[in-house]
Amino acid sequence: MAGRRARTGRGWDASPSRAGDDTAAPRARRGRRGRIEESDPEAPPAAPRDEGELAREICLRQLAVRPRTRAELAGALAKRGISEEVSAEVLDRYDEVGIIDDAAFARAWVSSRHAGRGLARRALANELRQRGVDGEVASEALGELDEETEAETARALVERKLRTARGEPDAVFRRLVAMLARKGYPPGVAIRAVKDALAAQSAEAAEFAEQIDADALADAEGELDRDGRAAG
């Protein structure tokens, strides 16, 4: 009968017909967490994000993890497709306000890595170079780490390792010198630090240490080191 509501399996259906009905509610879609969200087909598309705003956001996210050099931030921006012009503009501004300071970064890096990892100047110089720090800026920061401090750190590293070292004195000697070399210590500093530490450890180690000509061995190791770097 006309005007009678249609019976559905779940009860009387009084909803208006969807087909051709302009008054129907906007189509719904299921959003995050299963909630129903309405989409407006007439809503204008979202405006594209400003490149400068995106560049600043990328930089701040990088700096939230740890301090960064200008070169590191420039690399992160390039990977995200930020143009060189916008990148330079943003980084110049960060330079002006002190958010980026490669000199301060280098000083903090040298202090932290030397105290925490026992790294010597050569290893630290390599790390700063990898992070894009200018050579002159790096040299100034490394100049704050003097030879006496470096030698004391080398000796402390050796003494700590000796507490758990096992083996004959000559084998221990080689392992400890190699350990210091990996941390960037010059042959002379490494050999003298290990010799002095062995001499204070035990009578057997002291006897072995007495036989070591630190100067001659350091010269030989230095020549090998220079040859290796030249070949590389």
Side-chain angles (χ1 to χ4, degrees):
M1 294 177 60
R4 176 175 294 181
R5 293 177 295 180
R7 176 83 178 205
T8 68
R10 293 178 295 179
W12 294 103
D13 184 6
S15 62
S17 172
R18 293 183 180 180
D21 189 349
D22 293 335
T23 64
R27 181 175 298 175
R29 62 184 177 87
R30 188 170 298 277
R32 295 177 60 185
R33 300 182 182 177
R35 292 180 299 185
I36 301 299
E37 300 174 352
E38 291 185 350
S39 60
D40 185 352
E42 298 182 0
R49 296 192 62 184
D50 177 75
E51 189 178 13
E53 178 187 350
L54 179 59
R56 289 188 290 272
E57 181 180 310
I58 294 168
C59 287
L60 292 176
R61 285 181 178 177
Q62 290 283 313
L63 292 167
V65 177
R66 66 165 175 82
R68 308 275 179 174
T69 65
R70 181 181 177 115
E72 287 180 308
L73 291 176
L77 293 175
K79 287 181 180 179
R80 293 291 300 274
I82 303 298
S83 68
E84 291 185 6
E85 181 181 358
V86 171
S87 176
E89 182 181 341
V90 170
L91 296 179
D92 284 346
R93 178 56 181 162
Y94 280 6
D95 270 332
E96 291 175 6
V97 299
I99 294 177
I100 302 174
D101 187 340
D102 280 6
F105 174 93
R107 290 192 299 270
W109 187 272
V110 168
S111 176
S112 172
R113 298 286 283 176
H114 179 74
R117 298 286 303 278
L119 298 184
R121 283 174 292 185
R122 187 168 68 180
L124 292 167
N126 185 52
E127 290 189 341
L128 291 175
R129 183 168 55 252
Q130 291 175 348
R131 282 155 183 79
V133 177
D134 177 76
E136 186 175 341
V137 173
S139 295
E140 186 175 344
L142 292 166
E144 298 184 9
L145 178 58
D146 57 43
E147 293 181 0
E148 183 178 351
T149 300
E150 198 172 50
E152 290 175 356
T153 302
R155 176 66 183 270
L157 288 169
V158 171
E159 289 176 348
R160 186 160 62 244
K161 289 290 185 180
L162 272 177
R163 295 170 192 161
T164 56
R166 298 291 182 269
E168 296 297 320
D170 60 335
V172 173
F173 174 82
R174 289 194 300 271
R175 289 202 304 270
L176 293 179
V177 169
M179 178 268 292
L180 291 178
R182 289 193 297 273
K183 291 181 177 291
Y185 289 90
V189 173
I191 291 168
R192 290 185 184 91
V194 178
K195 177 180 177 178
D196 292 346
L198 284 174
Q201 185 190 36
S202 66
E204 181 184 7
E207 183 178 354
F208 170 79
E210 283 296 321
Q211 301 172 14
I212 298 173
D213 187 338
D215 292 333
L217 190 54
D219 288 342
E221 291 288 341
E223 289 180 7
L224 290 173
D225 182 56
R226 286 190 295 271
D227 291 343
R229 281 185 287 174

